[in-house]
Amino acid sequence: MKNLMKLLIIAGLILAVAFSGCLGSDDDVVDEPDNNTTAEATHFYKNVTVEDNDTVVKFELTSNPSTGYGWTATANKTGILNETVNNVATPDMVGAPGVHTFSYKAQAAGTVELNFKYERSFENNTTLEDLTYVIQVYQNNTVEILSVTSPTGNLLPLSKNVTLENNSTAVKMMFTENPTTGYTWNISMTPSDVLNISKDHFDTPATDLVGAAGVHTWQFESLKAGNVSLVFNHNRSFEDNSTTEIVVFGLKTNTDKTIEIRSISLDTVTNVQ
């Protein structure tokens, strides 16, 4: 009987030690999530450039077919531009966005509107982006970007209108802006001595609605011949990492004071905290 009691006590001690060892094992402790981790910003690009001795206009647009969304392109006239590239490059990572490239070569003189919509073709009212570019093709088959219009949308919430004015001697930008939110458009030019800001004006909204957005208008004119990068950054100047949109224009000014839009990059930035 005494031997049986001893065996039971020993067995109980062994089980207790084993059980406490399981509870105290570092391998089984689940680490708590780091609440201070900040995800990298995501970007949604819409880029257009004039290439190949000014005979080609190329569009590179962020696209994610895995979501069902894709870009469709339509022209209001035929025979002026010839579509030579229409291709989606998908990344290796499943579900990650890729780039949809459209390329058009000058075919005949004229003016044409190219409209790009980012939507689900199998559903109604799913348009997230709506961009319209006006392209001029000259007799020598060179192309020029005359304007771009981007109305308010889900991925590009601030409307933007850019046009060449006064026989292409000035370029005018009209961007939605709402200073009541603390967000404004901040401009930088590199180099700073090629363009002159001839107009910088904010029009308050034509409504009594508190907090409604207005329109900020800038007009730039040439000071001398050269190339300039004009950057618009929509952010809170008093707050780090607050950028929501970046628009970059590559402009060329000529000796006759005319201005050419060589490239436009529209970038929607999402900072995920």
Side-chain angles (χ1 to χ4, degrees):
M1 185 67 178
K2 289 182 179 180
N3 290 335
L4 179 60
M5 291 296 294
K6 288 181 180 180
L7 289 174
L8 291 174
I9 291 171
I10 292 171
L13 289 172
I14 292 172
L15 288 173
V17 170
F19 185 70
S20 63
C22 290
L23 289 179
S25 174
D26 291 336
D27 294 337
D28 292 331
V29 175
V30 178
D31 292 332
E32 293 184 1
D34 183 1
N35 293 326
N36 295 322
T37 301
T38 301
E40 293 184 359
T42 58
H43 298 262
F44 197 93
Y45 293 103
K46 287 75 57 181
N47 301 330
V48 55
T49 53
V50 175
E51 301 185 345
D52 294 347
N53 296 318
D54 301 347
T55 61
V56 170
V57 59
K58 183 172 76 173
F59 300 84
E60 294 178 303
L61 312 171
T62 298
S63 180
N64 194 341
S66 67
T67 63
Y69 282 91
W71 288 98
T72 57
T74 56
N76 68 333
K77 297 177 184 177
T78 60
I80 297 176
L81 290 173
N82 178 42
E83 183 182 85
T84 57
V85 177
N86 185 342
N87 177 61
V88 180
T90 56
D92 295 332
M93 184 180 297
V94 176
V99 177
H100 196 150
T101 301
F102 298 86
S103 191
Y104 300 87
K105 189 172 181 63
Q107 187 171 358
T111 303
V112 60
E113 291 185 5
L114 289 177
N115 178 255
F116 296 87
K117 283 186 172 61
Y118 190 63
E119 59 191 359
R120 284 174 167 164
S121 58
F122 53 87
E123 288 183 16
N124 296 324
N125 302 317
T126 60
T127 301
L128 295 182
E129 291 266 17
D130 188 344
L131 305 171
T132 300
Y133 298 84
V134 177
I135 309 296
Q136 177 71 48
V137 179
Y138 296 100
Q139 293 290 343
N140 61 355
N141 275 354
T142 59
V143 299
E144 183 178 12
I145 304 168
L146 295 184
S147 70
V148 56
T149 302
S150 170
T152 301
N154 291 340
L155 292 181
L156 208 61
L158 303 174
S159 65
K160 281 165 279 297
N161 295 292
V162 181
T163 54
L164 289 174
E165 305 265 323
N166 303 332
N167 295 317
S168 298
T169 60
V171 59
K172 183 169 74 173
M173 284 84 168
M174 300 175 67
F175 291 3
T176 299
E177 187 176 75
N178 192 345
T180 64
T181 64
Y183 282 92
T184 57
W185 288 99
N186 298 285
I187 305 174
S188 61
M189 284 190 288
T190 306
S192 59
D193 59 349
V194 175
L195 292 175
N196 173 55
I197 302 178
S198 58
K199 184 176 183 179
D200 184 347
H201 180 72
F202 178 74
D203 291 310
T204 56
T207 176
D208 295 330
L209 186 63
V210 177
V215 176
H216 201 145
T217 301
W218 298 267
Q219 185 159 299
F220 299 85
E221 296 176 353
S222 173
L223 289 174
K224 65 178 184 180
N227 295 299
V228 59
S229 176
L230 185 58
V231 180
F232 289 78
N233 193 320
H234 187 253
N235 61 13
R236 286 172 167 163
S237 59
F238 54 86
E239 185 178 314
D240 294 335
N241 301 319
S242 61
T243 296
T244 64
E245 291 195 44
I246 300 173
V247 185
V248 181
F249 297 93
L251 304 176
K252 178 183 178 182
T253 58
N254 302 306
T255 54
D256 61 358
K257 300 293 185 180
T258 58
I259 301 173
E260 299 177 30
I261 302 175
R262 305 292 301 172
S263 65
I264 305 172
S265 175
L266 304 175
D267 177 19
T268 306
V269 184
T270 303
N271 292 306
V272 182
Q273 299 296 330

